[in-house]
Amino acid sequence: MLRFIVIYVVLLLGYQFYLNMSKAGGLDPFSRMIADQVASVQKAARFPTLLYDDVKNEQIWFYVKKNYVTRMVEGCNAISVMILFIAFVFAFYKGAKTYIFALAGLILLYMMNLLRIVGLNIVMVDHQEYGKMFHDFIFPAVIYGTVVVLWLVWIKFFALKNENS
């Protein structure tokens, strides 16, 4: 438990330091990169997307089908979810496979988050009446559900594998 808390606090403080360093330029570079990738995925899916950079308010607006449908803020980048995931996995450290599993999990969470934002934008464009439900309940359940499944896989098949024999 102590290892989890220490890793979590150190990563959280490091992330806060990163946010403070990039504050003057508006939205942080990692979130900006995700917004660009979301726009690219949406364009490939035939949802032409433009981005409006609102530096003053530290956000980027998605302009899809002639409407500002959603905005990307720092909290949308899933870094806090990834920090929680990493802290848990490393709390049950099992050598090199910990790093491999953590990297694979981070890639999966990154992809899930990217698709989550794309999905939300598509919902907001075509079915705005469901937007709040998808933003507040469905998509958070998907991203946090992915974290829980990854944790269960880590514990069952890696962290406790030899201890149950």
Side-chain angles (χ1 to χ4, degrees):
M1 183 70 160
L2 181 61
R3 186 184 303 172
F4 170 83
I5 292 170
V6 168
I7 293 169
Y8 182 75
V9 168
V10 166
L11 289 175
L12 209 57
L13 289 173
Y15 181 54
Q16 190 59 52
F17 177 75
Y18 160 79
L19 289 175
N20 291 342
M21 294 295 291
S22 61
K23 195 169 185 105
L27 190 62
D28 67 280
F30 187 77
S31 298
R32 184 177 307 282
M33 178 184 71
I34 291 173
D36 289 335
Q37 291 172 348
V38 165
S40 295
V41 170
Q42 288 175 193
K43 287 174 188 173
R46 300 181 193 252
F47 285 87
T49 303
L50 297 173
L51 300 176
Y52 170 70
D53 195 353
D54 183 359
V55 174
K56 179 183 166 211
N57 294 312
E58 298 179 23
Q59 60 191 3
I60 292 177
W61 285 90
F62 291 99
Y63 186 74
V64 185
K65 291 187 175 180
K66 301 181 182 180
N67 292 305
Y68 288 104
V69 292
T70 62
R71 62 191 175 100
M72 175 84 182
V73 296
E74 174 271 324
C76 300
N77 66 19
I79 292 288
S80 59
V81 174
M82 293 177 194
I83 288 172
L84 193 61
F85 167 73
I86 290 295
F88 182 86
V89 169
F90 278 90
F92 296 91
Y93 182 79
K94 294 294 177 183
K97 63 184 170 184
T98 308
Y99 292 97
I100 295 167
F101 187 85
L103 180 61
L106 286 174
I107 291 168
L108 178 63
L109 289 171
Y110 185 89
M111 298 298 292
M112 293 294 291
N113 188 55
L114 203 66
L115 294 174
R116 175 185 74 87
I117 298 167
V118 168
L120 181 61
N121 284 338
I122 290 170
V123 166
M124 292 302 289
V125 165
D126 291 338
H127 304 285
Q128 191 171 8
E129 65 274 16
Y130 299 113
K132 182 165 177 48
M133 178 180 64
F134 273 83
H135 179 271
D136 294 351
F137 303 108
I138 305 294
F139 289 131
V142 169
I143 197 84
Y144 283 108
T146 302
V147 170
V148 170
V149 168
L150 285 170
W151 285 346
L152 292 173
V153 167
W154 175 247
I155 292 298
K156 182 164 178 68
F157 296 106
F158 298 97
L160 300 179
K161 187 172 182 169
N162 296 330
E163 294 177 21
N164 292 335
S165 306

